[in-house]
Amino acid sequence: MTKTIINFSNVSKKYGKNEIISDLNFTVNEGEFVTVLGSSGSGKTTTLKMINGLEKPTSGKIIVDTHELDKCDLVELRRHIGYVVQSVGLFPHMTIADNIAVTPKLLGWDKEKIDRTVDQLLDLVSLKSEEYKNRYPGQLSGGQQQRVGLARALSTNPPLLILDEPFSALDAIIRQNLQQEIKALHQKLENKTFFFVTHDINEALYLGDRVMIMNHGKIEQFDKPEKIVANPATDYVKKLIATVRQNKKLWEEFK
Ligand SMILES: Nc1ncnc2c1ncn2[C@@H]1O[C@H](COP(=O)(O)OP(=O)(O)O)[C@@H](O)[C@H]1O
Ligand SMILES: [Mg+2]
Protein backbone atom coordinates (compact mmCIF):
# COMPACT_ATOMS: atom_id res chain seq x y z
CA MET A 1 0.00 0.00 0.00
CA THR A 2 1.23 3.50 -0.77
CA LYS A 3 2.08 5.52 2.28
CA THR A 4 1.66 9.29 2.33
CA ILE A 5 4.68 11.09 3.76
CA ILE A 6 3.67 14.73 3.21
CA ASN A 7 0.11 15.99 3.33
CA PHE A 8 -0.87 19.64 2.90
CA SER A 9 -4.56 20.45 3.29
CA ASN A 10 -5.86 23.96 2.65
CA VAL A 11 -2.53 25.50 3.57
CA SER A 12 -2.21 29.27 3.26
CA LYS A 13 0.59 31.55 4.39
CA LYS A 14 0.51 35.30 4.78
CA TYR A 15 3.25 37.77 5.56
CA GLY A 16 1.36 40.77 6.89
CA LYS A 17 -1.45 41.25 4.39
CA ASN A 18 0.33 39.50 1.52
CA GLU A 19 -0.87 36.01 0.84
CA ILE A 20 2.24 34.15 -0.35
CA ILE A 21 0.73 30.66 -0.39
CA SER A 22 -2.94 30.21 -1.29
CA ASP A 23 -4.90 27.15 -0.30
CA LEU A 24 -2.27 24.53 -1.12
CA ASN A 25 -3.46 20.92 -1.28
CA PHE A 26 -1.17 18.05 -2.15
CA THR A 27 0.26 14.75 -0.98
CA VAL A 28 3.63 13.14 -1.56
CA ASN A 29 4.07 9.38 -1.32
CA GLU A 30 6.86 7.56 0.42
CA GLY A 31 9.76 6.92 -1.95
CA GLU A 32 8.82 9.58 -4.50
CA PHE A 33 11.26 12.07 -5.97
CA VAL A 34 9.17 15.22 -6.24
CA THR A 35 10.58 18.34 -7.84
CA VAL A 36 9.02 21.75 -7.25
CA LEU A 37 9.43 24.16 -10.13
CA GLY A 38 8.57 27.83 -10.22
CA SER A 39 10.11 31.21 -10.83
CA SER A 40 11.68 33.31 -8.11
CA GLY A 41 9.11 34.49 -5.55
CA SER A 42 6.52 31.82 -6.42
CA GLY A 43 6.58 30.41 -2.87
CA LYS A 44 8.83 27.34 -3.29
CA THR A 45 11.10 28.01 -0.31
CA THR A 46 8.17 28.95 1.92
CA THR A 47 6.42 25.68 1.01
CA LEU A 48 9.57 23.68 1.70
CA LYS A 49 10.20 25.41 5.03
CA MET A 50 6.66 24.64 6.16
CA ILE A 51 7.50 20.93 5.82
CA ASN A 52 10.09 21.06 8.61
CA GLY A 53 8.32 23.75 10.59
CA LEU A 54 10.78 26.59 9.88
CA GLU A 55 7.74 28.50 8.64
CA LYS A 56 4.24 28.05 10.00
CA PRO A 57 1.11 28.20 7.88
CA THR A 58 -1.40 30.95 8.63
CA SER A 59 -4.16 28.40 8.10
CA GLY A 60 -4.56 24.79 7.08
CA LYS A 61 -3.03 21.53 8.18
CA ILE A 62 0.30 19.84 7.44
CA ILE A 63 1.09 16.22 8.26
CA VAL A 64 4.61 14.84 7.78
CA ASP A 65 4.86 11.08 8.15
CA THR A 66 2.48 10.61 11.09
CA HIS A 67 3.17 13.96 12.75
CA GLU A 68 0.70 16.80 12.72
CA LEU A 69 3.00 19.79 12.58
CA ASP A 70 1.22 22.12 14.97
CA LYS A 71 1.07 19.37 17.59
CA CYS A 72 4.51 17.78 17.46
CA ASP A 73 8.00 18.50 18.76
CA LEU A 74 9.64 20.26 15.80
CA VAL A 75 13.20 19.64 16.99
CA GLU A 76 12.47 15.93 17.12
CA LEU A 77 10.69 16.07 13.73
CA ARG A 78 13.70 17.77 12.08
CA ARG A 79 15.90 14.83 13.00
CA HIS A 80 13.77 12.79 10.60
CA ILE A 81 14.04 15.30 7.78
CA GLY A 82 17.35 15.89 5.98
CA TYR A 83 17.69 19.48 4.80
CA VAL A 84 19.99 20.64 1.98
CA VAL A 85 20.26 24.28 0.91
CA GLN A 86 22.00 26.08 -1.94
CA SER A 87 24.57 27.75 0.29
CA VAL A 88 25.49 24.34 1.81
CA GLY A 89 26.13 25.92 5.21
CA LEU A 90 29.02 23.73 6.37
CA PHE A 91 30.80 24.91 9.52
CA PRO A 92 34.10 26.34 8.20
CA HIS A 93 36.12 25.61 11.36
CA MET A 94 35.08 21.94 11.49
CA THR A 95 36.51 19.08 9.44
CA ILE A 96 34.34 17.35 6.85
CA ALA A 97 33.94 14.36 9.20
CA ASP A 98 32.85 16.61 12.08
CA ASN A 99 30.43 18.47 9.83
CA ILE A 100 28.75 15.22 8.84
CA ALA A 101 28.74 14.04 12.46
CA VAL A 102 27.02 17.06 14.04
CA THR A 103 23.61 15.43 14.56
CA PRO A 104 24.92 11.91 15.34
CA LYS A 105 27.05 13.50 18.09
CA LEU A 106 24.05 15.38 19.45
CA LEU A 107 22.23 12.07 19.55
CA GLY A 108 25.08 10.54 21.54
CA TRP A 109 26.20 7.89 19.05
CA ASP A 110 29.47 6.15 20.00
CA LYS A 111 32.65 7.09 18.13
CA GLU A 112 32.92 3.84 16.25
CA LYS A 113 29.40 4.12 14.82
CA ILE A 114 30.01 7.76 13.89
CA ASP A 115 33.32 6.95 12.12
CA ARG A 116 31.73 4.09 10.23
CA THR A 117 28.76 6.25 9.18
CA VAL A 118 31.00 9.09 7.99
CA ASP A 119 33.00 6.64 5.83
CA GLN A 120 29.83 5.12 4.37
CA LEU A 121 28.23 8.49 3.64
CA LEU A 122 31.32 9.92 1.95
CA ASP A 123 31.48 6.78 -0.16
CA LEU A 124 27.79 7.22 -1.02
CA VAL A 125 28.40 10.74 -2.37
CA SER A 126 31.54 9.62 -4.25
CA LEU A 127 34.17 11.29 -2.07
CA LYS A 128 37.12 9.19 -0.86
CA SER A 129 36.86 9.22 2.91
CA GLU A 130 40.61 8.92 3.53
CA GLU A 131 41.25 11.89 1.29
CA TYR A 132 38.49 14.21 2.44
CA LYS A 133 37.34 13.51 5.98
CA ASN A 134 40.07 15.51 7.71
CA ARG A 135 39.90 18.49 5.36
CA TYR A 136 38.05 21.73 6.07
CA PRO A 137 35.18 22.97 3.84
CA GLY A 138 37.38 25.76 2.41
CA GLN A 139 39.67 23.07 0.96
CA LEU A 140 36.86 21.63 -1.18
CA SER A 141 35.31 22.83 -4.45
CA GLY A 142 31.69 24.01 -4.51
CA GLY A 143 30.51 20.72 -5.97
CA GLN A 144 32.42 18.71 -3.38
CA GLN A 145 30.99 20.87 -0.59
CA GLN A 146 27.49 20.18 -1.86
CA ARG A 147 28.25 16.43 -1.81
CA VAL A 148 29.19 16.84 1.84
CA GLY A 149 25.97 18.80 2.41
CA LEU A 150 24.07 15.81 1.02
CA ALA A 151 26.05 13.36 3.17
CA ARG A 152 25.33 15.45 6.25
CA ALA A 153 21.60 15.56 5.49
CA LEU A 154 21.62 11.76 5.30
CA SER A 155 23.59 11.25 8.53
CA THR A 156 20.69 10.02 10.65
CA ASN A 157 19.17 8.04 7.78
CA PRO A 158 16.01 10.21 7.57
CA PRO A 159 13.04 8.95 5.54
CA LEU A 160 12.57 12.40 3.96
CA LEU A 161 15.04 14.79 2.34
CA ILE A 162 14.06 18.36 1.47
CA LEU A 163 16.40 20.22 -0.87
CA ASP A 164 16.20 23.91 -1.74
CA GLU A 165 17.98 24.62 -5.05
CA PRO A 166 20.99 22.57 -3.93
CA PHE A 167 22.81 22.81 -7.28
CA SER A 168 21.86 26.33 -8.37
CA ALA A 169 25.20 27.90 -7.48
CA LEU A 170 27.25 25.30 -9.38
CA ASP A 171 28.49 25.52 -12.95
CA ALA A 172 26.90 23.51 -15.75
CA ILE A 173 29.11 20.41 -15.90
CA ILE A 174 29.38 19.90 -12.13
CA ARG A 175 25.67 20.50 -11.88
CA GLN A 176 24.84 17.88 -14.48
CA ASN A 177 27.12 15.34 -12.77
CA LEU A 178 25.37 15.95 -9.46
CA GLN A 179 21.95 15.68 -11.07
CA GLN A 180 22.86 12.25 -12.44
CA GLU A 181 24.29 11.20 -9.10
CA ILE A 182 21.39 12.35 -6.98
CA LYS A 183 19.00 10.50 -9.27
CA ALA A 184 21.08 7.33 -8.87
CA LEU A 185 21.32 7.95 -5.12
CA HIS A 186 17.56 8.17 -4.81
CA GLN A 187 17.16 4.89 -6.68
CA LYS A 188 19.75 3.23 -4.46
CA LEU A 189 18.26 4.46 -1.17
CA GLU A 190 14.97 2.62 -1.43
CA ASN A 191 11.87 4.27 0.05
CA LYS A 192 13.48 7.62 0.73
CA THR A 193 11.39 10.59 -0.29
CA PHE A 194 13.05 13.59 -1.93
CA PHE A 195 11.31 16.99 -2.12
CA PHE A 196 13.57 19.05 -4.38
CA VAL A 197 13.01 22.73 -5.17
CA THR A 198 14.47 24.21 -8.35
CA HIS A 199 13.83 27.06 -10.77
CA ASP A 200 15.38 25.08 -13.64
CA ILE A 201 12.80 23.34 -15.83
CA ASN A 202 15.28 20.84 -17.30
CA GLU A 203 16.43 19.85 -13.81
CA ALA A 204 12.83 19.53 -12.61
CA LEU A 205 11.74 17.36 -15.55
CA TYR A 206 14.86 15.20 -15.45
CA LEU A 207 14.82 14.47 -11.72
CA GLY A 208 11.18 14.35 -10.74
CA ASP A 209 9.00 11.25 -10.62
CA ARG A 210 6.40 13.99 -10.37
CA VAL A 211 6.84 17.72 -10.89
CA MET A 212 4.92 20.35 -8.93
CA ILE A 213 4.72 23.58 -10.88
CA MET A 214 4.08 26.63 -8.70
CA ASN A 215 3.15 30.16 -9.66
CA HIS A 216 2.11 32.98 -7.30
CA GLY A 217 1.73 30.61 -4.35
CA LYS A 218 -0.53 28.16 -6.18
CA ILE A 219 -0.01 24.80 -7.85
CA GLU A 220 -0.50 25.08 -11.60
CA GLN A 221 0.08 21.37 -12.24
CA PHE A 222 1.44 18.41 -10.28
CA ASP A 223 2.03 15.37 -12.44
CA LYS A 224 4.57 13.09 -14.08
CA PRO A 225 7.01 14.98 -16.33
CA GLU A 226 5.83 13.24 -19.51
CA LYS A 227 2.20 14.12 -18.70
CA ILE A 228 3.12 17.76 -18.11
CA VAL A 229 4.98 17.97 -21.41
CA ALA A 230 2.17 16.22 -23.31
CA ASN A 231 -0.70 18.04 -21.57
CA PRO A 232 0.28 21.33 -19.97
CA ALA A 233 -2.66 22.25 -17.73
CA THR A 234 -2.46 26.04 -17.79
CA ASP A 235 -1.10 28.92 -19.86
CA TYR A 236 1.77 29.31 -17.42
CA VAL A 237 2.82 25.68 -17.86
CA LYS A 238 2.45 26.00 -21.65
CA LYS A 239 4.81 28.97 -21.60
CA LEU A 240 7.33 27.06 -19.48
CA ILE A 241 7.31 24.10 -21.86
CA ALA A 242 7.64 26.49 -24.79
CA THR A 243 10.95 27.76 -23.36
CA VAL A 244 12.39 24.26 -23.60
CA ARG A 245 11.16 23.84 -27.17
CA GLN A 246 12.59 27.26 -28.04
CA ASN A 247 16.01 26.17 -26.70
CA LYS A 248 15.80 22.94 -28.62
CA LYS A 249 15.09 24.87 -31.82
CA LEU A 250 18.11 27.04 -31.16
CA TRP A 251 20.32 23.97 -30.85
CA GLU A 252 18.91 22.52 -34.07
CA GLU A 253 19.97 25.70 -35.86
CA PHE A 254 23.56 25.22 -34.69
CA LYS A 255 23.81 21.74 -36.21
N1 LIG B 1 10.04 36.47 5.94
C1 LIG B 1 9.36 37.03 4.95
N2 LIG B 1 8.66 38.17 5.13
C2 LIG B 1 7.95 38.74 4.13
N3 LIG B 1 7.85 38.24 2.89
C3 LIG B 1 8.52 37.09 2.64
C4 LIG B 1 9.31 36.42 3.64
N4 LIG B 1 9.84 35.30 3.10
C5 LIG B 1 9.42 35.28 1.81
N5 LIG B 1 8.64 36.35 1.53
C6 LIG B 1 7.99 36.63 0.23
O1 LIG B 1 7.23 35.50 -0.11
C7 LIG B 1 7.27 35.29 -1.52
C8 LIG B 1 7.69 33.86 -1.78
O2 LIG B 1 9.02 33.69 -1.35
P1 LIG B 1 9.79 32.32 -1.47
O3 LIG B 1 8.99 31.24 -0.86
O4 LIG B 1 11.15 32.54 -0.93
O5 LIG B 1 9.84 32.11 -3.04
P2 LIG B 1 10.80 31.23 -3.96
O6 LIG B 1 11.56 30.29 -3.09
O7 LIG B 1 9.88 30.54 -4.91
O8 LIG B 1 11.69 32.20 -4.68
C9 LIG B 1 8.20 36.33 -2.10
O9 LIG B 1 7.40 37.36 -2.64
C10 LIG B 1 8.97 36.81 -0.91
O10 LIG B 1 9.36 38.13 -1.06
MG1 LIG C 1 13.62 30.02 -2.85
Side-chain angles (χ1 to χ4, degrees):
M1 208 179 78
T2 340
K3 184 179 150 194
T4 300
I5 192 145
I6 304 171
N7 187 339
F8 273 48
S9 28
N10 307 111
V11 171
S12 298
K13 171 77 180 169
K14 284 183 184 169
Y15 288 116
K17 282 185 181 161
N18 286 342
E19 190 165 77
I20 300 303
I21 300 293
S22 311
D23 196 29
L24 219 54
N25 290 285
F26 69 87
T27 58
V28 173
N29 298 323
E30 182 181 49
E32 272 195 297
F33 197 140
V34 165
T35 51
V36 182
L37 173 67
S39 42
S40 178
S42 58
K44 304 181 299 297
T45 295
T46 306
T47 302
L48 179 128
K49 283 183 170 172
M50 287 196 287
I51 295 172
N52 68 355
L54 285 175
E55 294 287 355
K56 292 199 168 49
T58 315
S59 58
K61 195 163 87 171
I62 299 171
I63 302 173
V64 174
D65 211 346
T66 52
H67 311 279
E68 235 178 271
L69 253 54
D70 55 355
K71 295 189 181 126
C72 74
D73 175 354
L74 289 177
V75 175
E76 169 63 18
L77 175 86
R78 284 183 202 131
R79 285 192 193 128
H80 303 285
I81 304 176
Y83 185 27
V84 186
V85 290
Q86 183 184 331
S87 58
V88 192
L90 299 177
F91 298 110
H93 59 284
M94 282 183 145
T95 64
I96 297 309
D98 287 341
N99 265 286
I100 295 172
V102 169
T103 311
K105 276 185 184 162
L106 274 175
L107 296 176
W109 293 13
D110 63 55
K111 188 177 172 327
E112 207 179 312
K113 184 176 174 191
I114 290 179
D115 288 349
R116 201 172 54 235
T117 304
V118 166
D119 286 346
Q120 283 168 351
L121 287 169
L122 284 173
D123 185 52
L124 195 67
V125 297
S126 307
L127 289 173
K128 286 199 181 73
S129 186
E130 282 314 308
E131 195 175 339
Y132 291 97
K133 69 179 168 191
N134 296 317
R135 289 203 203 176
Y136 290 86
Q139 299 169 312
L140 267 61
S141 71
Q144 290 167 339
Q145 287 186 35
Q146 196 51 281
R147 288 171 193 273
V148 176
L150 259 174
R152 182 181 55 179
L154 290 165
S155 67
T156 57
N157 198 21
L160 171 63
L161 220 59
I162 59 176
L163 309 101
D164 196 351
E165 310 219 17
F167 306 149
S168 293
L170 305 172
D171 59 58
I173 294 173
I174 306 286
R175 186 172 177 155
Q176 194 170 50
N177 286 342
L178 277 167
Q179 286 167 355
Q180 285 159 357
E181 284 190 31
I182 200 165
K183 194 167 169 137
L185 189 71
H186 176 259
Q187 277 158 4
K188 194 164 150 187
L189 302 168
E190 278 170 34
N191 285 335
K192 274 206 201 309
T193 311
F194 285 20
F195 191 87
F196 184 113
V197 163
T198 177
H199 64 258
D200 178 335
I201 184 168
N202 290 304
E203 185 166 270
L205 294 172
Y206 171 67
L207 289 177
D209 296 323
R210 282 194 299 155
V211 183
M212 181 187 297
I213 301 182
M214 289 188 74
N215 187 28
H216 298 307
K218 293 198 172 104
I219 296 176
E220 299 265 336
Q221 193 166 7
F222 186 18
D223 210 337
K224 295 190 167 94
E226 61 272 22
K227 292 250 174 81
I228 289 176
V229 173
N231 293 304
T234 65
D235 283 348
Y236 179 79
V237 181
K238 273 183 202 146
K239 277 186 200 147
L240 267 178
I241 301 299
T243 64
V244 181
R245 297 206 200 282
Q246 180 65 32
N247 274 334
K248 197 164 168 250
K249 222 172 100 194
L250 179 72
W251 288 107
E252 293 296 326
E253 282 169 19
F254 285 149
K255 271 186 185 163

mmCIF file with all atom_site columns, all heavy atoms in Angstrom, residues 44-45 164-165 197, ligand 2:
data_model
loop_
_atom_site.group_PDB
_atom_site.id
_atom_site.type_symbol
_atom_site.label_atom_id
_atom_site.label_alt_id
_atom_site.label_comp_id
_atom_site.label_asym_id
_atom_site.label_entity_id
_atom_site.label_seq_id
_atom_site.pdbx_PDB_ins_code
_atom_site.Cartn_x
_atom_site.Cartn_y
_atom_site.Cartn_z
_atom_site.occupancy
_atom_site.B_iso_or_equiv
_atom_site.pdbx_formal_charge
_atom_site.auth_seq_id
_atom_site.auth_comp_id
_atom_site.auth_asym_id
_atom_site.auth_atom_id
_atom_site.pdbx_PDB_model_num
ATOM   1  N  N   . LYS A 1 44  ? 8.210  28.671 -3.414 1.00 0.00 ? 44  LYS A N   1
ATOM   2  C  CA  . LYS A 1 44  ? 8.826  27.342 -3.292 1.00 0.00 ? 44  LYS A CA  1
ATOM   3  C  C   . LYS A 1 44  ? 9.506  27.158 -1.930 1.00 0.00 ? 44  LYS A C   1
ATOM   4  O  O   . LYS A 1 44  ? 9.269  26.169 -1.240 1.00 0.00 ? 44  LYS A O   1
ATOM   5  C  CB  . LYS A 1 44  ? 9.869  27.116 -4.406 1.00 0.00 ? 44  LYS A CB  1
ATOM   6  C  CG  . LYS A 1 44  ? 9.329  27.280 -5.809 1.00 0.00 ? 44  LYS A CG  1
ATOM   7  C  CD  . LYS A 1 44  ? 10.402 27.015 -6.858 1.00 0.00 ? 44  LYS A CD  1
ATOM   8  C  CE  . LYS A 1 44  ? 11.616 27.921 -6.825 1.00 0.00 ? 44  LYS A CE  1
ATOM   9  N  NZ  . LYS A 1 44  ? 11.353 29.344 -7.077 1.00 0.00 ? 44  LYS A NZ  1
ATOM   10 N  N   . THR A 1 45  ? 10.357 28.116 -1.575 1.00 0.00 ? 45  THR A N   1
ATOM   11 C  CA  . THR A 1 45  ? 11.098 28.005 -0.309 1.00 0.00 ? 45  THR A CA  1
ATOM   12 C  C   . THR A 1 45  ? 10.147 28.020 0.881  1.00 0.00 ? 45  THR A C   1
ATOM   13 O  O   . THR A 1 45  ? 10.304 27.248 1.827  1.00 0.00 ? 45  THR A O   1
ATOM   14 C  CB  . THR A 1 45  ? 12.137 29.148 -0.197 1.00 0.00 ? 45  THR A CB  1
ATOM   15 O  OG1 . THR A 1 45  ? 13.105 28.952 -1.234 1.00 0.00 ? 45  THR A OG1 1
ATOM   16 C  CG2 . THR A 1 45  ? 12.843 29.146 1.149  1.00 0.00 ? 45  THR A CG2 1
ATOM   17 N  N   . ASP A 1 164 ? 16.582 22.617 -1.187 1.00 0.00 ? 164 ASP A N   1
ATOM   18 C  CA  . ASP A 1 164 ? 16.200 23.914 -1.742 1.00 0.00 ? 164 ASP A CA  1
ATOM   19 C  C   . ASP A 1 164 ? 17.279 24.411 -2.709 1.00 0.00 ? 164 ASP A C   1
ATOM   20 O  O   . ASP A 1 164 ? 18.290 24.952 -2.290 1.00 0.00 ? 164 ASP A O   1
ATOM   21 C  CB  . ASP A 1 164 ? 15.979 24.924 -0.606 1.00 0.00 ? 164 ASP A CB  1
ATOM   22 C  CG  . ASP A 1 164 ? 15.214 26.150 -1.084 1.00 0.00 ? 164 ASP A CG  1
ATOM   23 O  OD1 . ASP A 1 164 ? 15.007 26.298 -2.303 1.00 0.00 ? 164 ASP A OD1 1
ATOM   24 O  OD2 . ASP A 1 164 ? 14.830 26.974 -0.217 1.00 0.00 ? 164 ASP A OD2 1
ATOM   25 N  N   . GLU A 1 165 ? 17.042 24.213 -3.988 1.00 0.00 ? 165 GLU A N   1
ATOM   26 C  CA  . GLU A 1 165 ? 17.976 24.616 -5.053 1.00 0.00 ? 165 GLU A CA  1
ATOM   27 C  C   . GLU A 1 165 ? 19.416 24.232 -4.729 1.00 0.00 ? 165 GLU A C   1
ATOM   28 O  O   . GLU A 1 165 ? 20.317 25.077 -4.792 1.00 0.00 ? 165 GLU A O   1
ATOM   29 C  CB  . GLU A 1 165 ? 17.878 26.139 -5.283 1.00 0.00 ? 165 GLU A CB  1
ATOM   30 C  CG  . GLU A 1 165 ? 16.424 26.590 -5.454 1.00 0.00 ? 165 GLU A CG  1
ATOM   31 C  CD  . GLU A 1 165 ? 16.263 27.667 -6.509 1.00 0.00 ? 165 GLU A CD  1
ATOM   32 O  OE1 . GLU A 1 165 ? 17.165 27.855 -7.327 1.00 0.00 ? 165 GLU A OE1 1
ATOM   33 O  OE2 . GLU A 1 165 ? 15.190 28.297 -6.512 1.00 0.00 ? 165 GLU A OE2 1
ATOM   34 N  N   . VAL A 1 197 ? 13.426 21.464 -4.573 1.00 0.00 ? 197 VAL A N   1
ATOM   35 C  CA  . VAL A 1 197 ? 13.006 22.726 -5.170 1.00 0.00 ? 197 VAL A CA  1
ATOM   36 C  C   . VAL A 1 197 ? 14.041 23.208 -6.186 1.00 0.00 ? 197 VAL A C   1
ATOM   37 O  O   . VAL A 1 197 ? 15.241 23.146 -5.933 1.00 0.00 ? 197 VAL A O   1
ATOM   38 C  CB  . VAL A 1 197 ? 12.834 23.786 -4.055 1.00 0.00 ? 197 VAL A CB  1
ATOM   39 C  CG1 . VAL A 1 197 ? 12.821 25.193 -4.631 1.00 0.00 ? 197 VAL A CG1 1
ATOM   40 C  CG2 . VAL A 1 197 ? 11.561 23.528 -3.254 1.00 0.00 ? 197 VAL A CG2 1
HETATM 41 MG MG  . MG  B 2 .   ? 13.615 30.018 -2.849 1.00 0.00 ? 2   MG  B MG  1
#
